[in-house]
Every structure is written in C-alpha cells, then in structure tokens.
C-alpha cells in the first residue's frame, strides 16, 4: 500500500526476538490461602464467618450421622437413639425393598444384573473411545437383555425365567430405565420439532407449535394420569399397550416439547452466514442441518439440555401416582407400610437423596466435559 | 463468439419496496475477470449473490453454466456446485478443523472418498501456504489466515466460477503476499469480485 511499509518490515525483521517459554505461575497451598482466603478485608471476613458456621454446625451433624448413629437393622436400638443419632438401620433393613420395589424378593438378582448392565452401557456410551457402530449393537442387545431379565419374557417369548409383570417392577431399575429411554427418545424428537418450528412450510410449523404449546400447557402429572387411566378408555378393549409403555410415551412427549424449545434457542444463535456458506458449497437442507447447524446449535445449549435431562431423571418419580413404584415410590412403600420403621423415614429419604445426587452430579460433570469437547477456540 | 458462462437478462430485484437491481443485463464469458464497483448499498453484493442464488431475483432471467436459475432446489444445487464463493466474513465453520472445512462438501456433496478429499484439500492449503494450520480450528487463526482457508475451501469444489464478496486482501500492504501470488496464477475460467 504505502512504500514506507517495506523499511519498517525490514527493521522489525532485523530485531526479531526469539521465542521464550511462558513464565511459570504454579503456586503452593500457602500462597493460595493468602490470596484466595485472606486476600482482602472482605475475604478475611467471609473466611471467618464460614469457619464460625462450620465450627457451630459440623459437630452436631457428625455426632448425629456417625457417632450416635445406629447402623444395624435394630428398630429398638433406633428408638433409643432417636433424636440423638441417625437410624441407618432403616436402610440396612429395607434397602432391597427401596432399590427394587415390589419385585419378587427371590428373583431380585435379575433387576440387579439388568441395572448393572444398563449402567455399564450408559457409562460406555459417554466415552469417546466407544463411539462406533458396535455401540448400537450393544444397546440393542443390552435393552433386550434388560427387558428379558426384568420381565422373564421378551416380545411374548419366554426366556426361561419366571415371568414378572411390569406393575411389579420398581425401585432404581425402573427409575434408570424410564429416564434412559425417555431421554433417548425425547432428544431426537426434540431436534425434529425444533427444526420443524423453523421450517419454511407453514403446515409443519403449525403442527410443531401446536404440539409444543399444548404439552407445555399441562403439568406432567396430568399427562401421566391421562396416559395411565384415560388412554385405555379411548382404546378398544384388549388393544391397550402396557402401562410402562404408555407412561414412557407420556414422559417422552412431555420432555421433548421442553427440549425442543431449548434446541430452538441454539438454532437461533447460528448466524445466517453459516447457512449461506453451506448453501454456496452445495449442501442441501438435511446435510446443512446435520453437518453445519446442529453441531454448533447443540454445542451452544449443552447446559440447557443437561438441565432438562436431569429434570427428566428426577421427574420419573411422578410415575408413583400411576402405581409404578420407582426409587422414591419404592422408598415410600418400604417405610410407610411398616410401623416399626415409619419414624425413620428421614434417613430413608437421605439414602435415596444420595442415589439421586450421585446420578445427577455425574450427569452435570459429564455435561462440563462435553462443553469442553465442543469449544474450539 | 463463445457462449457466456453467466448471463443476466433484464434482471430486477426488490427488497420490500426498495428496487435494488434495475434491469441488469450482463454477460460474462469463461476466463473473464470482472470487478464490480459502486458506493455502499448500491447492490454489488446482491448482484453477485444472485449468481449462486443466495438471493432470489423477481424478474428477468439468470443463466449460469447453461442452467437457468429458477425456483427449484435441483437447478440451484447444480449451479452452486459450479460456483465457489468467498464471503466478506469468510463464514468458516467454527466447529470443524481447517481440513474438515475443506473436505466437508467434497465428501458429502461430491461423494469423494475421505482420503482423496483430504489429499486434495491439503494441495489447496499448500497453494495458499497455510498447510501447517490444517488441524487447527478457524477461530484459532488470524483474519488473514481465515481468508486464505475460505479461498481454499471454495476452490476444493473445482468451481468454474469464483465469486469474491468484498475481497479486502486486495488492499493488503504487501502485494507479494503468498495469497495474492497464487490467486493470479489461477486457471479459473472466470473470476468475480465486488469491492
């Protein structure tokens, strides 16, 4: 552009400084305490306040939950320790009822194996090393195995185990299966509905908007109620699908509407230029959505999607109202019906809280990992 | 006289009530290089975006590589395969590496085998002297580097026509920059610019 730029460049080149390694800022614990906890008068104040709170509250908690707690399943010992220590005995006594609900006691190895298998599949699906075609096969086999083990029969054929009807399924296996399947079905449906709501075709758009608005307008509990009690009344007798399937469809359709709106938020953040670039490269509608738009849109809304997944996981507890005793329902079943243990419902609640927390926390950490994987800058 | 590769006949376009393209008649033969000049908002970008139908015209005929641009996706996609475009904002795909940006269309649209597409993409990247950045993501590159990737991406389709929307590299201080040097050597049939 200007002739003066050449000598400037020559000068800069002559004084070129060789690269050096970046300064090391690794610091010790002492340094961290000094800057992070005692860095300013405000920090000192907050640190003192939090320490005081801990000193005040922690000993009480420790003595209640550990020192004075009763661990063995002894209702009388629990009664004497009442008010002083926790009664973990209720968990030792009832854990099988809490974890597996009304499933026949002698057959409870089946839900245990089925649940462990499903957990292994879930963990494997979360790992990048396992993302190839074999995983699809593993899922098909895994789900057949799950339902075969749980029900004792598969698609009407006996698998050599005592049949257990779905209304006897319960506890954690039910929670895990309902949330896994409704998440797995709701997500693709939500992507389609989100794309449909932005479609150029008025009919597709109208259908998607109607679906979203209708579903968002009712509480999940009434959707489950409809699926469980109203739906069979509308169907010809003998053609009603299994209650589990109806409930699963209800949760899926309900969650998909919310998920669709989250995903639509992500779609709206994609600049027009991305679509134009894809168009100029000759990509059609579906290729553009799949290769260019959705990978970016979904990456934008990972926190929102995971929020929804966690909500689905916990919302499965509502199926109790249609007499399916999943984890929280099974806990109620286990403790409410037994006058010896009913006073210690709090401890039983803490036990299932721990299970819910471990699952939700794992999901939330996984979402952070996914976020890191999809950020490229 | 050879048949024109791009032909505009009495083309008109409106943005609502604003009449942006008025009776455009234009014919470009293969090998021609044309620069379109004009003040801001005069419709330079709109004109070239009509060539690969990123904008639709309301009246007149546009024929590109013998195909008339009409309201069906088939003809539009056929034309777009022959027309490369470098955008003012480059519009690289930020979720894909530089190499994946280049191979996306050859693999999914051109049905080229991934290995072959990568090999060709590396050749294009070497041509614009940016091959060492092939595995970085676009947002990790400088503006000038991104522009070179955008040019390489458009060239990977082996287009007959190249469109440049506001190619600001023309104003780069160093006329001998590797990018410009390779651009002048192109064996393209036609090259279009606005700016």
């Amino acid at each position: 552009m200007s002739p003066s730029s050449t000598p400037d460049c020559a000068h800069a080149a002559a004084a070129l400084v060789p690269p050096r390694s970046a300064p090391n800022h690794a610091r010790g614990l002492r340094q961290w305490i000094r800057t992070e906890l005692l860095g300013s008068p405000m920090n000192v104040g907050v640190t003192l306040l939090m320490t005081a709170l801990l000193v005040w509250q922690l000993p009480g908690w420790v003595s209640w939950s550990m020192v004075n707690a009763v661990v063995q399943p002894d209702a009388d010992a629990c009664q004497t320790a009442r008010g002083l220590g926790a009664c973990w005995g209720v968990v030792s006594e009832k854990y099988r009822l809490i974890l597996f609900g009304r499933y026949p006691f002698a057959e409870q190895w089946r839900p245990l194996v089925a649940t462990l298998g499903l957990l292994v599949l879930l963990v494997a699906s979360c790992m990048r090393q396992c993302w190839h075609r074999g995983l699809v096969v593993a899922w098909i086999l895994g789900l057949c195995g799950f339902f075969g083990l749980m029900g004792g029969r598969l698609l009407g054929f006996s698998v050599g185990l005592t049949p257990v009807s779905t209304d006897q399924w319960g506890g954690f296996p039910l929670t895990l299966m309902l949330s896994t399947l409704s998440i797995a079905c709701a997500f693709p449906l939500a992507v389609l509905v989100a794309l449909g709501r932005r479609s150029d075709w008025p009919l597709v758009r109208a259908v998607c908007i109607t679906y979203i608005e209708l579903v968002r307008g009712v509480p999940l509990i009434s959707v489950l109620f409809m699926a469980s009690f109203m739906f069979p009344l509308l169907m010809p007798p003998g053609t009603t699908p299994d209650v589990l399937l109806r409930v699963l469809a209800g949760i899926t359709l309900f969650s998909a509407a919310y998920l669709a709106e989250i995903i639509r938020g992500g779609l709206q953040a994609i600049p027009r230029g991305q679509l134009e670039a894809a168009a100029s490269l000759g990509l059609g509608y579906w290729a553009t959505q799949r290769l260019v738009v959705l990978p970016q849109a979904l990456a934008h809304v990972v926190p929102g999607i995971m929020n929804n997944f966690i909500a689905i996981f916990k919302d499965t507890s509502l199926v109790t109202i249609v007499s399916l005793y999943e984890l929280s329902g099974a806990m109620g079943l286990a403790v409410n019906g037994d006058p010896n243990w009913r006073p210690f419902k709090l401890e039983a609640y803490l036990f299932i809280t721990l299970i819910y927390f471990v699952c939700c926390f794992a999901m939330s950490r996984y979402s952070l990992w996914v976020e890191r994987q999809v950020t490229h800058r | 006289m050879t048949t024109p590769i791009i032909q505009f006949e009495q083309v008109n376009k409106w943005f609502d009530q604003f009449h942006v393209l008025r009776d455009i008649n234009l014919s470009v033969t293969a090998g021609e290089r044309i620069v379109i000049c004009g003040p801001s908002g005069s419709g330079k970008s709109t004109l070239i975006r009509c060539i690969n139908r990123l904008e639709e015209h309301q009246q007149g005929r546009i024929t590109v590589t013998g195909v008339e641009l009409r309201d069906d996706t088939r003809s539009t996609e056929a034309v777009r395969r022959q027309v490369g475009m470098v955008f003012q904002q480059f519009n690289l795909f930020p979720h894909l590496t530089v190499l994946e940006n280049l191979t996306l269309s050859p693999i999914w649209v051109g049905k080229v085998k991934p290995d072959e597409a990568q090999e060709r993409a590396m050749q294009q990247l070497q041509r614009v002297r940016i091959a060492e950045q092939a595995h970085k993501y676009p947002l990790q590159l400088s503006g000038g580097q991104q522009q070179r990737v955008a040019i390489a991406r458009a060239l990977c389709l082996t287009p007959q026509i190249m469109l440049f929307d506001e190619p600001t590299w023309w104003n780069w201080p160093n006329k001998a920059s590797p990018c410009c040097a390779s651009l002048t050597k192109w064996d393209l049939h036609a090259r279009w610019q606005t700016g």
Side-chain angles (χ1 to χ4, degrees):
Chain A
M1 190 169 61
S2 66
S4 66
S5 62
T6 318
D8 281 354
C9 286
H11 173 75
L16 200 63
V17 178
R20 292 189 297 267
S21 56
N24 187 5
H25 275 298
R27 294 173 309 171
L29 179 65
R30 187 180 273 187
Q31 179 71 19
W32 181 81
I33 291 174
R34 196 174 294 159
T35 54
E36 303 295 323
L37 296 185
L38 308 167
S40 66
M42 181 76 166
N43 273 358
V44 174
V46 173
T47 305
L48 284 177
L49 187 69
M50 297 314 282
T51 315
L53 272 175
L54 275 178
V55 168
W56 178 41
Q57 283 294 327
L58 204 58
W61 277 98
V62 170
S63 82
W64 181 81
S65 64
M66 292 183 225
V67 181
N68 294 324
V70 178
V71 180
Q72 63 273 32
D74 180 350
D76 295 332
C78 278
Q79 278 295 350
T80 28
R82 209 166 158 187
L84 293 171
C87 171
W88 301 122
V90 68
V91 177
S92 331
E93 170 76 16
K94 301 282 188 187
Y95 73 97
R96 283 181 68 167
L97 200 51
I98 296 175
L99 286 178
F100 301 119
R102 293 191 298 175
Y103 204 89
F105 197 79
E107 300 284 331
Q108 284 182 355
W109 62 271
R110 283 157 59 180
L112 178 67
V113 173
T115 308
L116 289 178
L118 195 56
L119 280 174
V120 167
L121 265 179
L122 280 170
V123 171
S125 311
C126 289
M127 294 194 298
R128 196 181 267 275
Q129 300 94 297
C130 302
W131 292 348
H132 49 78
R133 288 212 183 97
L135 195 62
V136 180
V137 181
W139 266 105
I140 294 169
L141 292 178
L143 285 177
C144 289
F146 183 89
F147 285 101
L149 267 173
M150 290 292 288
R153 48 199 295 121
L154 193 61
L155 302 170
F157 297 102
S158 172
V159 293
L161 294 166
T162 327
V164 177
S165 66
T166 50
D167 55 351
Q168 286 181 289
W169 299 13
F172 188 62
L174 194 60
T175 296
L176 193 66
M177 186 272 287
L178 279 177
S179 40
T180 306
L181 289 187
S182 48
I183 286 171
C185 300
F187 184 68
L189 180 64
V191 169
L192 289 179
V193 172
L195 290 176
R197 200 171 171 172
R198 288 163 56 85
S199 167
D200 290 335
W201 296 349
L203 182 66
V204 174
R205 211 163 49 228
V207 167
C208 292
I209 292 174
T210 312
Y211 164 67
I212 290 172
E213 296 304 337
L214 272 184
V215 170
R216 281 203 303 190
V218 291
L220 176 58
I221 208 154
S222 62
V223 172
L224 292 176
F225 208 74
M226 294 268 280
S228 178
F229 299 118
M230 299 288 285
F231 187 71
L233 296 179
L234 303 173
M235 297 286 285
T239 57
T240 314
D242 193 275
V243 61
L244 207 59
L245 205 62
R246 281 178 277 145
V247 160
L248 195 59
I251 301 177
T252 302
L253 292 176
F254 184 82
S255 330
Y258 286 86
L259 259 179
E261 286 295 274
I262 295 173
I263 293 170
R264 190 168 68 95
L267 293 175
Q268 276 172 342
I270 306 302
R272 233 180 100 82
Q274 292 287 308
L275 298 171
E276 290 179 350
S280 78
L281 289 170
L283 269 67
Y285 175 80
W286 288 107
T288 305
Q289 300 302 326
R290 189 163 62 87
L291 301 167
V292 175
V293 175
L294 282 173
Q296 296 184 61
L298 295 177
H300 285 312
V301 291
V302 169
I305 291 175
M306 192 48 83
N307 221 1
N308 210 273
F309 285 179
I310 289 176
I312 294 173
F313 180 72
K314 291 185 294 184
D315 280 354
T316 55
S317 56
L318 289 173
V319 301
T320 307
I321 65 131
V322 297
S323 307
L324 288 172
Y325 294 97
E326 47 58 68
L327 189 55
S328 70
M331 191 278 298
L333 206 64
V335 181
N336 289 343
D338 191 336
N340 286 333
W341 295 103
R342 203 183 300 144
F344 308 106
K345 202 173 177 181
L346 174 67
E347 286 84 344
Y349 256 120
L350 286 174
F351 174 61
I352 65 164
T353 301
L354 181 71
I355 297 175
Y356 277 115
F357 179 78
V358 167
C359 295
C360 295
F361 189 66
M363 286 160 95
S364 126
R365 298 311 291 184
Y366 183 65
S367 120
L368 286 180
W369 179 82
V370 172
E371 274 176 58
R372 276 202 304 277
Q373 299 299 305
V374 295
T375 312
H376 304 298
R377 47 183 96 224
Chain B
M1 154 150 190
T2 50
T3 49
I5 194 163
I6 300 170
Q7 182 136 36
F8 279 57
E9 291 162 81
Q10 287 293 315
V11 172
N12 281 283
K13 178 170 176 63
W14 287 263
F15 285 126
D16 288 328
Q17 286 306 305
F18 177 58
H19 193 176
V20 55
L21 300 183
R22 301 174 202 168
D23 297 338
I24 304 290
N25 283 297
L26 179 76
S27 109
V28 185
T29 50
E32 257 189 289
R33 296 167 191 184
I34 292 186
V35 179
I36 298 170
C37 301
S40 300
S42 60
K44 309 181 292 290
S45 290
T46 307
L47 179 66
I48 75 157
R49 285 156 61 90
C50 281
I51 295 168
N52 63 353
R53 209 169 166 79
L54 291 180
E55 301 286 356
E56 293 172 14
H57 57 288
Q58 276 112 22
Q59 279 177 6
R61 273 164 65 94
I62 303 178
T63 316
V64 180
T65 64
V67 181
E68 192 192 336
L69 286 174
R70 269 174 297 129
D71 206 10
D72 68 315
T73 41
R74 259 247 187 98
S75 64
T76 307
E77 281 172 16
V79 164
R80 280 174 181 164
R81 263 167 240 181
Q82 302 299 328
V83 182
M85 182 158 186
V86 179
F87 294 86
Q88 189 179 359
Q89 306 293 332
F90 318 137
N91 295 346
L92 296 173
F93 304 130
H95 63 298
L96 300 176
T97 63
V98 166
L99 193 60
E100 287 164 343
N101 263 277
L102 267 66
T103 55
L104 186 77
S105 179
I107 290 175
W108 294 96
V109 181
K111 306 290 177 205
V112 179
K113 288 204 184 78
D115 292 349
E116 199 186 328
Q118 280 183 11
E119 200 176 307
R120 280 198 224 162
M122 285 311 289
Q123 283 169 9
Q124 292 297 348
L125 287 174
Q126 270 152 12
R127 203 164 165 189
V128 293
R129 313 229 174 135
I130 202 160
E132 70 280 3
Q133 315 281 6
H135 297 287
K136 282 197 182 168
Y137 287 90
L139 293 177
Q140 296 168 332
L141 303 181
S142 74
Q145 289 172 323
Q146 286 186 33
Q147 186 172 39
R148 283 187 263 165
V149 174
I151 293 168
R153 181 174 73 175
L155 286 174
C156 269
L157 287 172
T158 54
Q160 293 188 48
I161 299 165
M162 278 292 281
L163 308 172
F164 292 89
D165 195 358
E166 305 247 2
T168 44
W169 45 265
W170 216 240
N171 298 327
W172 283 1
N174 191 352
K175 277 265 163 99
S177 80
C179 193
C180 301
S182 91
L183 278 181
T184 53
K185 281 187 217 147
W186 279 349
D187 48 350
L188 293 167
H189 301 298
R191 183 144 55 90
W192 276 58
Q193 305 165 354
T194 71

